[in-house]
Amino acid sequence: MAKNRTPIALLCGYLGAGKTTLLNKVLTNQKGYKVAVIVNDIGEVNVDAKLIADGAKITDTSSIVPLTNGCICCTLKTQLAQNIENLIKTGKYDYILIEASGVCEPMPIAQEVETIENGKLDNVIGVVDAKRLVDEFAGGDALLKDKDEEDIESLLVQQIEFCSTLVINKKDLVSKDEMKKVRAVINAIHPDVRLIETDHGNVPVEDVLATGSFDFETVYASAGWCKKLEEEDDDDDHNEHEHHEHDDEHGHHHEHKHEGDAGSDEDEYGIGTFIYYRRKPFDRQKLDEFCNTWPKNIIRCKGLMWFADEPEMAWVFETSGRQIQAGYSGQWIAAAPKAEQKQILDENPKIKDEWDEKVGDRMIKLCVIGQHLDREAISAGLDSCLAK
C-alpha cells in the first residue's frame, strides 16, 4: 500500500498583511494536527520565526525551520524542498505550513513543492490587507507612486491570482462600501477564489488545514485573465487553437474569434475587462515604447502575441500594474514544416476552420483588467504598436 503523502499549505501575502498573526492563531489551535512550520525571511535574522514561537507559545522550536537571507520562490527553492523532505522523514509531523516572505511570488514555490515525492500541496492561502487593496487599486489615487510601488502592486496581483484560499484581513479598517470595492477588484483578478473576510487573522483552522482545495491547473486556469479569454471563446462558439509546441508556459489551450475588441461592462465600481484581439504582429520597438507609458489603471493584462521580426514564435505578454514582461510560449503551427502542419490541421479540423490564409494561427489576444478602462484609447495605443 502506498504511503500517505504529507499535506502542505503555503501561506503568502505582502509585508504587514497579517500572515504571522494568522499562523499563530492556527498553531495555538491545531485541532489534533502535529504541524511543522517553515518560515522564510529575506533578512539574515528570521524575525518571524521568533514571533511565531512566542505568539503560539511553542517551547519545542524544532518544529519551526527558518530559511533566511534569501527568497524561497527563487534562490532558496531547492533548500525549501530539502527541508520539507527532512521534516517528512522524521515522521513527527502530519502537516507542514510554509510562511513565505512578503516579497515571494506563490507560483514558483507551488511548482517546487509539487516535485516533492512524499508531500502534496493541500492549500495555497493568500493573505491581503483590505486597507492596502483600497489604496492600491479600488481607491485609484495611490496607484504606482514610484518603482517600489510597482513591485508591490505586481506582488499583490500575483498573490491574489494564484491561491486556492484568499483571506481578506483587516476588514475592520475599511468601510462597507470600500469592502465592496475590494471584492470587485478580487473578482476581476480571481473570480472563483475561496474567500474569507476577517480581522486580526481570525480564521477557523479547518479553513486552512486539510482543505484539499489546491489543484495547480485549476488554480492557474481560474485567474481572471484566463477565464475571460475562455469565456470570450465560448461566447463566440469558436474552436480550440494550439501552438506547434504548447500554448503558454503551462500548456493551456486558447481559441480565437473575429478580430476586434470585446468584453463585459464595468461594474458599479468601474472594475472591468475587455479582450484586445488582432491578427497583425506587434512591432517590437513600438510596443517597448508604448510600455513606457502603460496606463496606470490597468491592473492586469495577459495573453498571446507575436512580433513581425520573429514570426515563427508565440509570446506570452504579461503585466501586473506597470511591471511588464514577455516570454516565449512556443512555436506557431504556421511555422512548422508543411508536412507536420498538415498533419496537425488534419487531426484538428476546427483549427483549420479558423486558419488565416496570410498568418495561419498567429494572433495577438490580450485580456485587459482594470478600473475605468478607456477601451478605445487603450486599443488605439496598442494598435499604434502594430507592424505596418
Side-chain angles (χ1 to χ4, degrees):
M1 177 181 271
K3 182 182 176 182
N4 289 334
R5 298 164 72 192
T6 302
I8 301 163
L10 172 62
L11 189 60
C12 291
Y14 193 68
L15 302 166
K19 298 188 303 296
T20 302
T21 302
L22 186 153
L23 190 53
N24 280 337
K25 296 287 178 70
V26 171
L27 294 177
T28 53
N29 184 24
Q30 296 183 27
K31 294 197 173 180
Y33 286 97
K34 297 176 182 176
V35 181
V37 183
I38 295 176
V39 191
N40 177 218
D41 207 322
I42 56 173
E44 292 184 12
V45 178
N46 200 319
V47 176
D48 279 353
K50 186 178 187 311
L51 290 174
I52 290 167
D54 293 347
K57 297 179 172 58
I58 294 173
T59 54
D60 179 11
T61 55
S62 64
S63 64
I64 303 175
V65 179
L67 290 178
T68 58
N69 210 20
C71 183
I72 59 175
C73 69
C74 45
T75 57
L76 296 181
K77 274 200 302 186
T78 304
Q79 191 176 338
L80 169 68
Q82 188 60 57
N83 275 272
I84 292 173
E85 289 171 358
N86 290 342
L87 286 168
I88 292 172
K89 286 176 184 176
T90 68
K92 293 168 58 178
Y93 308 105
D94 47 29
Y95 206 97
I96 296 172
L97 264 170
I98 306 165
E99 183 190 352
S101 159
V103 296
C104 278
E105 301 169 14
M107 189 164 69
I109 307 171
Q111 288 173 317
E112 186 68 22
V113 171
E114 293 229 308
T115 67
I116 298 169
E117 185 177 352
N118 295 318
K120 63 177 180 179
L121 195 51
D122 174 66
N123 197 6
V124 174
I125 308 125
V127 184
V128 294
D129 178 337
K131 179 62 175 168
R132 179 178 285 278
L133 281 189
V134 168
D135 292 340
E136 294 294 332
F137 298 123
D141 297 329
L143 284 170
L144 302 178
K145 289 288 194 289
D146 53 41
K147 187 176 185 304
D148 290 337
E149 288 298 309
E150 290 182 27
D151 295 337
I152 291 170
E153 191 182 35
S154 174
L155 277 167
L156 286 171
V157 169
Q158 292 179 63
Q159 290 168 353
I160 292 169
E161 192 172 76
F162 193 83
C163 63
S164 43
T165 302
L166 184 65
V167 177
I168 306 178
N169 198 28
K170 306 186 184 181
K171 70 174 186 178
D172 54 319
L173 300 182
V174 298
S175 67
K176 288 184 178 180
D177 190 56
E178 285 174 329
M179 197 67 183
K180 288 180 180 178
K181 292 180 182 179
V182 166
R183 293 189 198 105
V185 171
I186 290 170
N187 186 60
I189 298 172
H190 196 164
D192 294 330
V193 71
R194 185 165 164 260
L195 206 57
I196 300 171
E197 299 175 9
T198 190
D199 53 59
H200 301 93
N202 289 309
V203 176
V205 173
E206 57 270 22
D207 288 344
V208 177
L209 303 186
T211 65
S213 59
F214 183 82
D215 175 79
F216 194 102
E217 294 301 316
T218 301
V219 169
Y220 180 85
S222 63
W225 67 269
C226 195
K227 288 184 71 67
K228 189 64 182 176
L229 289 176
E230 295 297 331
E231 286 170 7
E232 288 300 317
D233 295 332
D234 291 342
D235 288 345
D236 292 301
D237 197 29
H238 278 282
N239 306 303
E240 189 171 280
H241 160 276
E242 61 182 32
H243 297 158
H244 171 48
E245 293 181 2
H246 55 279
D247 294 280
D248 58 27
E249 65 266 49
H250 295 287
H252 291 95
H253 299 303
H254 302 277
E255 304 161 358
H256 49 90
K257 57 191 283 300
H258 295 297
E259 187 164 332
D261 306 321
S264 59
D265 292 332
E266 292 182 346
D267 68 13
E268 62 181 307
Y269 301 107
I271 307 297
T273 64
F274 74 92
I275 303 297
Y276 174 84
Y277 181 84
R278 302 289 187 267
R279 297 307 292 259
K280 288 184 177 180
F282 279 134
D283 178 290
R284 196 182 299 261
Q285 184 175 346
K286 290 179 180 178
L287 181 62
D288 186 59
E289 291 171 356
F290 180 68
C291 287
N292 290 329
T293 60
W294 192 255
K296 293 182 180 180
N297 57 333
I298 296 178
I299 297 171
R300 184 71 155 130
C301 177
K302 190 167 181 177
L304 298 166
M305 66 171 185
W306 63 299
F307 289 118
D309 64 338
E310 197 176 11
E312 71 278 7
M313 296 304 297
W315 289 68
V316 171
F317 178 82
E318 179 174 5
T319 80
S320 299
R322 283 186 293 177
Q323 191 170 100
I324 300 169
Q325 58 187 359
Y328 286 126
S329 173
Q331 191 178 45
W332 298 105
I333 296 171
K338 289 294 182 182
E340 190 173 348
Q341 187 183 120
K342 183 179 183 302
Q343 181 182 349
I344 293 171
L345 292 176
D346 287 345
E347 292 173 356
N348 298 272
K350 292 181 179 180
I351 298 177
K352 188 185 295 185
D353 291 341
E354 291 296 317
W355 194 262
D356 184 274
E357 287 300 320
K358 290 184 178 179
V359 300
D361 59 325
R362 299 178 181 94
M363 64 176 171
I364 298 169
K365 189 172 187 182
L366 306 175
C367 175
V368 184
I369 302 173
Q371 186 177 31
H372 303 307
L373 296 172
D374 186 334
R375 295 182 198 177
E376 290 186 4
I378 294 169
S379 296
L382 290 169
D383 284 346
S384 71
C385 305
L386 296 174
K388 300 298 184 185

